[in-house]
Amino acid sequence: MSEEFVKILRKLCGRENVFNNEMELASYSYDASYIRGQPKVVVRPSSVEDVAEVISAAAEHGVPITPRGAGTSLVGGPVPVRGGIVLDMLRMNEIVEVDEENMHAIVEAGVRVRDLNARLDGMFFPIDPDGLGVSTVAGLIAEDAASPLSPAYGTARDSVLSVEMVLGSGRVVRLSGSMVNLAVGSEGTLGVITRAVVRLSPTPESMSSFSIRVIDASDGLDLLSLVYSKGYRPEVFEIIHRDVLDILEVDPEIGAIVEAAFIGSEPWVSAQSEALRSSVEEVKPLGVEEAEELPRPSMSWLTEALKKAERSAVFISVSVSRSSIRDVLQEIDRVAMRMRLKTITAVNAPLGWIISGILFDPLDEREYQRAIKASEQVVHATLRICSSARLGFGTGIGASMARAFEAGFPEEADVFRAIKSALDPMGVMNPGKIIP
Amino acid sequence: MTLFSEDLLYALSRCIGCGNCNTFCQVFFLVDQREKLSPRAWIRTSSMVGLGQVKVSVEYIESLYACTQCSLCRNSCPVGLDPFALIMSSRKELIDQGYVPPIEVAALPEEVVEGSPLLPGPHWERNKWLPRDMPRSGRYLFISGAWARSAPDSAVASIELARRRLDLFVADREPECGLILRLAGYLDQYRELTGEMLALIEDLSPVGVVSGCPARAESLRELGVNALHPVDLLVEESPSARRKKPKVALIPDPLARSTSKAAEELLQSVLGPEFLGSLPRFSASCGHLITFRSNPDIVRSLFLTALKEAEYMGASEAVFLNPLAFALAREILRGERVRVKISELSQTLLKVLS
């Protein structure tokens, strides 16, 4: 990148908001995945005008541009794999409006879930994948993120009403209705979300959770089918796979733990809980604990296992039909055994969403390569097992699975290319993501 | 052969990059969430440097010293890393490898021994300022510390508080505590000074030690010394307050967690509703002096932000638990227009206790 171009960016956004020294660039070369890529320059815009001008300049000069929120993606979404500009959106962090009557909030791109929820009373924004609230709302939209509560509240797609977005051409547009889906899960490949109107949900009046120890994940899935067959629908139903429990040295008799919850009005919750209690006995559980708070999120189980194992992990995230979950779990176990690697896996069963971390010694390059290879094998096996499989959740799959997407879904990849060439004619928006 | 020890490099490289620690970092928010000055970046870039992916540079070393070691990030890591400790170890191992910290920080070991404006007087001679009537023998040894010359009013207050309960004496001469060197990465020098301190204590064999600095008291306790801070003496008695009570917000000391908690309890019982609690996102210790040396603007802004927060809470007085941090704040905020008065805990207590 030429010094001239950096000068242009400085003129547009101010010297103090454009960086290209080495440590600065290194600090924007990662997210929470194993993907790495060094930008050539970091720009920190403070307004939609800044964003539009920077994107126009990037398009004119053919420089790649990658938007970034809190950098918490597990799939490399905000990592600039083709260099160029990283657009750090964290300075645009104003909660513009909370409309209590209509139960929506207008937020700038850099607002974190934790800060939004802290501002709300009697309502909340339900998409919080890690339960920590660190991620930005716009980042979650861009990845179409899911969370433990997604069976009840949907994924990010279901909580976004409209967005303001700067397209790859530099044009600022407002997208609502079904058009909002151009922003959802597109991972900054079509444009940059600068502002969003999100739907808020009422804080549930009552909740009851169950932690159920079962022989294996299959029993957990059977339990879910039983509950469904009675006409009830748990708001949370996550299964912690045996591989996590092994690392945590849980009693070997226990092959999986189900973390389930019902939330809503008092009578609804107690009726649902009763249905679960009567179904649980049919799968002969090894133990059941009840509480009146949200259950422990699967991500917290996974990180505790990482803490105990003192390892790092390559994460993969796939969603499959519910009937394929068993086979995919078996495949993960098989690959792990064959590659002599440990895994940590959890399933959001109603969504068919499986997240698995493949553990490696962070100083052992060969083991790391083996972990990446194992992750690819699991992805390919998943596509074989389930014809309706999706990589990641929604379309946000980052750079980690771009090749698999192209191979597994060639027609969709073509359609995506056509949309991209219309909205990002110079191909500068987050290249290398979704498709290779 | 790598730059860092295998243990440190392993821990650094185990970071999963979730960024939770960043949301606890006062410096990160001060710089408008610029990733370079955040715990995650300190850990990640140190890992890159250790793995040889990025070369050691002045920029890298300077950025490491922007951390004030406030330690609010300590328990934030979901995979069990301690960002605070990793940053401290990175500093230490860089020094061991011959990489000099920013020049003003590199001057610290000498200043701690020889003296400087904020750490005045030569090592071993620093208690010469003490009140004339301080006895040279008794049951509890009072140790002052370098800060006491910058904030003698606070030191006298802590002596007076402690003397209400204990039979106190001072040594003719005393060595420097050197905690600040530990935070700066000069671990060997710190150990040496600690050895001198322990030798003095052994020599005088007091029943216990009283320190006006809570961080020093707690670190001595870790070393097996019966060390107390005046707050520890008062907290169990629930003393009562006199006259008009100020509205107080406490600035805790991150290196003295149990004393911070005790100070909260004490202020609560003495001031009742006039105690507004600890500042939720700010704490201060001698680590701030290190950062002040390399990044003065950051520390000045941090203090100003903290006082604004105290004002927002409704406080008329922001009370530092750590006396060196208080001395530093008083020094650099001189001439600034600040609505909230700053003080140090012992002074405040002395004023309000009946």
Side-chain angles (χ1 to χ4, degrees):
Chain A
M1 178 177 299
S2 69
E3 259 313 302
E4 283 307 301
F5 185 65
V6 175
K7 268 188 197 151
I8 294 172
L9 295 173
R10 291 210 163 107
K11 216 172 214 167
L12 293 175
C13 296
R15 283 196 79 75
E16 66 285 5
N17 298 314
V18 177
F19 303 100
N20 64 349
N21 26 345
E22 194 186 8
M23 293 318 292
E24 205 80 53
L25 302 180
S27 310
Y28 287 90
S29 66
Y30 52 74
D31 59 1
S33 73
Y34 65 94
I35 310 283
R36 296 284 181 277
Q38 185 111 331
K40 294 272 191 242
V41 61
V42 176
V43 181
R44 311 195 68 216
S46 64
S47 66
V48 61
E49 290 79 19
D50 278 0
V51 175
E53 283 174 355
V54 172
I55 292 183
S56 299
E60 192 184 322
H61 290 79
V63 176
I65 180 162
T66 301
R68 184 183 201 268
T72 59
S73 161
L74 287 171
V75 291
V79 177
V81 291
R82 303 272 158 84
I85 303 168
V86 161
L87 204 59
D88 175 2
M89 302 300 287
L90 287 179
R91 285 183 69 224
M92 293 177 64
N93 55 20
E94 195 192 336
I95 298 171
V96 181
E97 189 189 322
V98 174
D99 182 337
E100 295 194 4
E101 198 186 342
N102 294 306
M103 295 189 72
H104 69 230
I106 305 175
V107 295
E108 285 193 312
V111 170
R112 293 173 194 263
V113 172
R114 187 191 291 174
D115 298 327
L116 174 59
N117 280 335
R119 263 281 292 278
L120 303 174
D121 194 19
M123 299 176 280
F124 76 120
F125 179 74
I127 311 298
D128 184 9
D130 56 11
L132 300 170
V134 180
S135 311
T136 63
V137 172
L140 295 172
I141 296 170
E143 296 290 351
D144 190 15
S147 79
L149 289 171
S150 285
Y153 298 96
T155 63
R157 184 186 306 278
D158 303 292
S159 282
V160 54
L161 296 167
S162 70
V163 296
E164 176 189 75
M165 183 163 158
V166 183
L167 300 178
S169 58
R171 191 163 160 215
V172 182
V173 294
R174 190 175 152 271
L175 302 172
S176 56
S178 63
M179 292 291 278
V180 86
N181 287 329
L182 287 170
V184 178
S186 66
E187 208 161 44
T189 55
L190 306 177
V192 177
I193 300 168
T194 48
R195 190 179 270 225
V197 183
V198 293
R199 178 180 288 135
L200 305 171
S201 299
T203 310
E205 171 190 282
S206 167
M207 59 182 82
S208 105
S209 68
F210 295 80
S211 185
I212 306 157
R213 297 184 284 281
V214 289
I215 302 278
D216 65 14
S218 265
D219 281 1
L221 292 163
D222 289 345
L223 176 60
L224 182 63
S225 301
L226 270 168
V227 178
Y228 278 155
S229 70
K230 294 187 178 168
Y232 290 96
R233 195 193 67 181
E235 272 75 33
V236 177
F237 200 99
E238 297 197 287
I239 301 173
I240 314 305
H241 190 41
R242 176 70 232 169
D243 52 8
V244 177
L245 307 180
D246 272 337
I247 289 171
L248 294 176
E249 291 171 15
V250 171
D251 180 350
E253 207 188 347
I254 300 165
I257 292 177
V258 173
E259 298 280 15
F262 299 106
I263 59 183
S265 64
E266 230 293 306
W268 166 260
V269 167
S270 65
Q272 295 234 30
S273 300
E274 205 35 61
L276 184 75
R277 276 184 211 110
S278 66
S279 309
V280 158
E281 290 314 313
E282 294 184 41
V283 298
K284 300 193 176 57
L286 300 166
V288 182
E289 274 160 36
E290 293 190 31
E292 285 180 5
E293 55 196 31
L294 278 180
R296 186 169 171 197
S298 59
M299 197 38 107
S300 149
W301 280 98
L302 299 190
T303 50
E304 193 196 337
L306 273 181
K307 178 176 174 177
K308 181 90 195 292
E310 298 192 347
R311 283 288 190 270
S312 213
V314 169
F315 280 99
I316 47 172
S317 160
V318 292
S319 41
V320 297
S321 62
R322 215 150 30 85
S323 57
S324 304
I325 294 175
R326 277 185 191 86
D327 292 343
V328 175
L329 288 180
Q330 270 178 15
E331 189 59 33
I332 291 171
D333 292 344
R334 247 200 307 274
V335 169
M337 196 185 283
R338 197 168 56 228
M339 304 285 261
R340 299 175 312 286
L341 293 165
K342 285 189 172 154
T343 51
I344 45 174
T345 309
V347 185
N348 189 326
L351 301 187
W353 177 32
I354 301 169
I355 180 154
S356 185
I358 299 164
L359 272 48
F360 65 93
D361 173 340
L363 298 185
D364 182 342
E365 178 63 23
R366 288 170 63 187
E367 190 168 288
Y368 165 67
Q369 293 300 342
R370 223 161 62 234
I372 291 185
K373 208 166 162 194
S375 76
E376 285 165 359
Q377 288 181 6
V378 171
V379 168
H380 288 126
T382 303
L383 293 173
R384 220 170 38 239
I385 291 166
C386 176
S387 58
S388 62
R390 299 295 316 189
L391 303 170
F393 205 88
T395 47
I397 56 171
S400 62
M401 286 189 262
R403 264 199 304 272
F405 178 69
E406 168 129 82
F409 306 89
E411 287 165 9
E412 281 183 48
D414 273 350
V415 173
F416 174 76
R417 269 196 191 89
I419 296 172
K420 184 167 168 72
S421 69
L423 303 183
D424 172 29
M426 303 308 292
V428 291
M429 292 311 309
N430 208 359
K433 305 298 166 58
I434 301 185
I435 48 169
Chain B
M1 177 68 200
T2 57
L3 176 66
F4 292 128
S5 66
E6 195 169 317
D7 283 353
L8 176 58
L9 187 57
Y10 190 89
L12 291 168
S13 307
R14 214 156 69 64
C15 163
I16 58 167
C18 73
N20 196 36
C21 51
N22 285 8
T23 64
F24 291 82
C25 178
Q26 35 176 278
V27 173
F28 177 60
F29 282 99
L30 185 79
V31 296
D32 236 352
Q33 306 189 56
R34 186 172 140 209
E35 179 79 18
K36 178 181 149 181
L37 301 183
S38 73
R40 176 169 60 177
W42 290 317
I43 291 170
R44 279 271 158 116
T45 56
S46 292
S47 161
M48 291 178 207
V49 163
L51 293 168
Q53 295 161 351
V54 173
K55 63 180 190 305
V56 184
S57 62
V58 173
E59 192 195 352
Y60 161 64
I61 293 174
E62 272 178 0
S63 82
L64 266 189
Y65 282 90
C67 164
T68 65
Q69 309 263 298
C70 79
S71 87
L72 294 177
C73 60
R74 268 204 120 148
N75 300 311
S76 65
C77 177
V79 299
L81 299 173
D82 178 348
F84 168 86
L86 292 179
I87 295 159
M88 206 156 73
S89 304
S90 303
R91 288 175 177 179
K92 181 212 175 288
E93 294 198 8
L94 282 165
I95 289 171
D96 289 350
Q97 294 288 324
Y99 291 100
V100 181
I103 191 75
E104 300 82 356
V105 177
L108 273 173
E110 194 180 329
E111 286 180 17
V112 165
V113 174
E114 302 293 333
S116 71
L118 258 172
L119 304 165
H123 176 56
W124 279 105
E125 298 289 336
R126 289 214 175 109
N127 60 0
K128 292 289 186 204
W129 61 273
L130 284 161
R132 295 250 169 98
D133 64 341
M134 284 300 286
R136 304 289 148 176
S137 69
R139 297 177 59 232
Y140 281 82
L141 170 67
F142 181 84
I143 49 173
S144 50
W147 60 272
R149 276 197 170 183
S150 307
D153 38 352
S154 305
V156 170
S158 60
I159 288 172
E160 276 188 46
L161 280 182
R163 269 171 127 180
R164 292 172 160 206
R165 326 279 163 195
L166 298 178
D167 173 20
L168 226 55
F169 77 106
V170 287
D172 283 334
R173 301 164 80 231
E174 76 176 31
E176 188 47 63
C177 100
L179 256 184
I180 194 169
L181 295 183
R182 187 179 125 205
L183 297 177
Y186 290 98
L187 203 57
D188 296 340
Q189 288 87 332
Y190 163 71
R191 285 200 190 107
E192 204 173 297
L193 292 174
T194 301
E196 289 175 13
M197 178 73 82
L198 291 176
L200 175 86
I201 294 169
E202 200 185 314
D203 195 38
L204 298 170
S205 53
V207 175
V209 169
V210 176
S211 165
C213 169
R216 173 76 292 189
E218 289 199 13
S219 67
L220 281 175
R221 273 210 290 274
E222 277 166 29
L223 295 165
V225 176
N226 171 26
L228 299 161
H229 181 269
V231 164
D232 302 317
L233 297 168
L234 295 165
V235 72
E236 274 161 24
E237 304 181 10
S238 351
S240 56
R242 64 179 172 202
R243 57 183 179 150
K244 208 174 150 230
K245 300 172 199 164
K247 281 194 185 298
V248 162
L250 180 71
I251 297 177
D253 181 341
L255 305 178
R257 296 199 162 208
S258 71
T259 317
S260 296
K261 209 160 159 271
E264 280 184 6
E265 275 173 40
L266 181 61
L267 286 169
Q268 186 64 53
S269 80
V270 172
L271 299 174
E274 313 301 310
F275 176 54
L276 305 168
S278 291
L279 292 186
R281 286 185 295 269
F282 189 78
S283 61
S285 195
C286 39
H288 283 67
L289 177 59
I290 301 171
T291 304
F292 178 69
R293 293 306 186 82
S294 52
N295 298 274
D297 293 345
I298 286 182
V299 177
R300 183 192 315 277
S301 308
L302 276 177
F303 282 144
L304 288 171
T305 311
L307 295 185
K308 258 195 211 125
E309 199 166 311
E311 187 186 339
Y312 182 73
M313 285 166 79
S316 58
E317 206 170 309
V319 178
F320 283 83
L321 177 56
N322 184 291
L324 179 61
F326 163 68
L328 176 66
R330 188 164 62 179
E331 180 70 27
I332 60 184
L333 296 181
R334 194 165 282 158
E336 297 277 357
R337 285 175 48 174
V338 182
R339 290 217 190 122
V340 177
K341 191 180 153 212
I342 57 171
S343 62
E344 182 273 331
L345 184 66
S346 298
Q347 283 175 289
T348 307
L349 285 173
L350 205 58
K351 241 179 356 200
V352 299
L353 288 183
S354 50

